Coordinates of all heavy atoms in Angstrom, one line a residue:
M1 N 116.8 145.4 97.2 CA 117.2 146.0 95.9 C 117.0 144.9 94.8 O 117.3 143.8 95.0 CB 118.7 146.3 96.1 CG 119.1 147.6 95.3 SD 120.8 148.0 95.4 CE 120.9 148.8 97.1
R2 N 116.6 145.4 93.7 CA 116.4 144.6 92.6 C 117.7 144.2 91.9 O 118.7 144.9 91.9 CB 115.5 145.2 91.6 CG 114.1 145.3 92.1 CD 113.1 145.9 91.1 NE 113.5 145.5 89.8 CZ 112.9 145.9 88.7 NH1 111.9 146.7 88.8 NH2 113.3 145.5 87.6
F3 N 117.7 143.1 91.2 CA 118.9 142.6 90.4 C 119.6 143.7 89.6 O 120.8 143.9 89.8 CB 118.5 141.4 89.5 CG 119.6 140.7 88.9 CD1 120.3 139.8 89.5 CD2 119.8 141.0 87.5 CE1 121.4 139.1 88.9 CE2 120.8 140.2 86.9 CZ 121.6 139.4 87.6
C4 N 118.9 144.4 88.8 CA 119.5 145.5 88.0 C 120.0 146.6 88.7 O 121.1 147.1 88.4 CB 118.4 146.0 86.9 SG 118.0 144.8 85.7
E5 N 119.4 147.0 89.8 CA 119.8 148.1 90.7 C 121.1 147.7 91.4 O 122.0 148.5 91.5 CB 118.7 148.4 91.7 CG 117.5 149.0 91.2 CD 116.4 149.1 92.2 OE1 116.4 148.3 93.2 OE2 115.5 149.9 92.0
V6 N 121.2 146.4 91.8 CA 122.5 146.0 92.4 C 123.6 146.0 91.4 O 124.7 146.5 91.7 CB 122.3 144.5 93.0 CG1 123.6 144.0 93.4 CG2 121.3 144.5 94.2
F7 N 123.4 145.5 90.2 CA 124.4 145.5 89.2 C 124.8 147.0 88.9 O 126.0 147.3 88.7 CB 123.8 144.9 87.9 CG 124.1 143.4 87.9 CD1 124.3 142.7 89.0 CD2 124.2 142.7 86.7 CE1 124.5 141.3 89.0 CE2 124.3 141.4 86.6 CZ 124.5 140.6 87.8
E8 N 123.8 147.9 88.7 CA 124.2 149.3 88.5 C 125.0 149.9 89.5 O 126.0 150.6 89.3 CB 122.9 150.1 88.2 CG 122.3 149.7 86.8 CD 121.0 150.3 86.6 OE1 120.4 151.1 87.5 OE2 120.3 150.1 85.5
K9 N 124.6 149.6 90.8 CA 125.3 150.2 92.0 C 126.7 149.6 92.0 O 127.7 150.4 92.2 CB 124.5 149.9 93.2 CG 125.2 150.5 94.4 CD 124.4 150.3 95.7 CE 125.1 151.0 96.9 NZ 124.2 150.9 98.1
L10 N 126.9 148.3 91.8 CA 128.2 147.7 91.9 C 129.1 148.2 90.8 O 130.2 148.6 91.1 CB 128.1 146.2 91.8 CG 129.4 145.4 91.8 CD1 130.2 145.6 93.0 CD2 129.1 143.9 91.6
I13 N 130.3 151.7 91.7 CA 131.3 151.7 92.8 C 132.7 151.2 92.1 O 133.7 151.9 92.5 CB 130.9 150.7 93.9 CG1 129.7 151.3 94.7 CG2 132.1 150.4 94.9 CD1 129.1 150.3 95.7

Side-chain angles (χ1 to χ4, degrees):
M1 212 180 284
R2 293 182 33 181
F3 185 77
C4 291
E5 292 168 339
V6 170
F7 273 23
E8 289 171 359
K9 183 174 182 178
L10 176 60
I13 290 168

